[in-house]
Amino acid sequence: MAYLFLDDSKHHRFGFSLAAFVICETDPTEEISSIFRKYGYEPYTFEFKSSTKMQDDTDLQRLRGALKNFIGRRCKLAVCIVNDDKSLGPAALKLLHNALEHPRLTGKRHEVFFDEGLFQSRRAADALVEKDKALQECQFHFEQDSRNVLGIQLADIVAHTCSTMLIEALGLLSKTITVDAPNDSVYHGLEVELGFEMWADIRYAFLSQNKPNPKDDFDLANVDVYPWGLFIDDSVDEWIAATAMERFGENYLGCIH
């Protein structure tokens, strides 16, 4: 059994919206609660939102870093991209259909939690699930309050992170940051692109499989994310769809030093 949590990030002015699943092998609630308390935040009272300004808030930055570290070490993730955010819920179910064919998830029962507002109604969501036999083994929890379901707050981080990565890949964002990693002599103090830093934090978490017939060592270091960890809806503009496939369709896991 796995626990899957979905949240979204809307970017109408850039022509897309994105939703992300965070996939945990066990219920992450206790561990997330412990992380919150470690940095001085009370779960169920405080809600982490990636959209919150954190520039001058060291504690919030540390909390974000700890949650991203948890995702990178303990979770898997999958993303879907649509043009109109009204399609996010249905597209996420199509992504889930593909994800359930991954060896990590196939043939098992799972608990699946969706944030609020991703379907026209709970009844509409249930109707879509009933039409897909592959989804029948899952227990769905639609219209969940992210303040009460802490795993959805992890999905918020991934949705925001992957959206920023896509916006940068589209050439619509150009920002560099200085790496603060005292234990890494190669990267500490280095100025890198924001999208690279975001990708480096979560690159091992994408739901993926090894390429079936790698041609060389570089191919061996790349894994296929599509179709298990990526779904691009037909509504997406061709340019955005092609960029999203290039950015997320496969993933490099080799050395980046």
Side-chain angles (χ1 to χ4, degrees):
M1 174 188 285
Y3 291 78
L4 295 89
F5 306 91
L6 185 114
D7 202 357
D8 65 285
S9 185
K10 301 178 179 68
H11 300 277
H12 297 146
R13 66 190 178 111
F14 296 127
F16 75 91
S17 291
L18 182 149
F21 277 112
V22 166
I23 305 165
C24 307
E25 289 188 356
T26 59
D27 185 349
T29 302
E30 284 191 20
E31 290 177 88
I32 299 172
S33 297
S34 178
I35 293 171
F36 270 52
R37 294 189 177 103
K38 179 179 179 179
Y39 292 94
Y41 298 92
E42 188 60 32
Y44 308 111
T45 301
F46 171 82
E47 180 179 11
F48 182 88
K49 286 287 190 181
S50 294
S51 58
T52 303
K53 291 184 178 181
M54 307 182 197
Q55 185 174 355
D56 300 317
D57 193 328
T58 303
D59 289 339
L60 203 52
Q61 291 175 15
R62 288 174 176 169
L63 174 61
R64 177 182 59 190
L67 292 173
K68 289 184 72 173
N69 186 50
F70 178 82
I71 294 166
R73 291 185 301 104
R74 300 291 303 278
C75 308
K76 292 298 179 183
L77 62 90
V79 299
C80 66
I81 300 157
V82 303
N83 176 44
D84 183 351
D85 59 75
K86 293 179 181 179
S87 306
L88 275 171
L93 290 177
K94 293 177 182 177
L95 169 63
L96 180 59
H97 176 107
N98 293 344
L100 291 175
E101 295 181 358
H102 190 277
R104 179 182 287 267
L105 298 176
T106 189
K108 303 174 185 176
R109 290 192 60 82
H110 306 293
E111 300 284 338
V112 186
F113 300 82
F114 278 70
D115 192 27
E116 298 169 301
L118 291 166
F119 297 92
Q120 291 182 346
S121 66
R122 193 186 301 265
R123 181 176 296 179
D126 289 336
L128 289 173
V129 169
E130 290 175 6
K131 292 179 181 179
D132 190 337
K133 292 182 179 179
L135 304 180
Q136 301 308 306
E137 292 300 310
C138 294
Q139 180 67 44
F140 286 92
H141 308 269
F142 295 114
E143 299 297 325
Q144 297 297 298
D145 185 342
S146 55
R147 185 181 292 273
N148 298 326
V149 181
L150 301 186
I152 293 177
Q153 296 181 44
L154 297 181
D156 167 82
I157 293 172
V158 174
H160 178 267
T161 297
C162 290
S163 292
T164 303
M165 290 165 60
L166 179 55
I167 292 168
E168 184 182 81
L170 290 167
L172 303 173
L173 172 68
S174 179
K175 183 178 181 181
T176 59
I177 63 168
T178 301
V179 177
D180 181 19
N183 295 325
D184 191 328
S185 60
V186 175
Y187 285 108
H188 182 58
L190 189 67
E191 197 171 79
V192 300
E193 293 179 345
L194 176 63
F196 175 85
E197 188 268 343
M198 287 185 154
W199 166 77
D201 280 347
I202 62 170
R203 65 183 180 130
Y204 292 107
F206 284 93
L207 193 63
S208 61
Q209 292 200 72
N210 293 330
K211 291 184 176 295
N213 298 298
K215 299 186 291 291
D216 50 34
D217 288 345
F218 183 74
D219 241 14
L220 280 170
N222 279 277
V223 293
D224 288 326
V225 175
Y226 179 83
W228 311 280
L230 174 65
F231 176 79
I232 302 173
D233 191 70
D234 290 340
S235 66
V236 178
D237 177 88
E238 288 185 10
W239 168 56
I240 297 175
T243 304
M245 181 61 72
E246 183 177 357
R247 189 67 190 86
F248 300 117
E250 65 176 20
N251 197 26
Y252 178 68
L253 299 182
C255 179
I256 57 175
H257 281 210

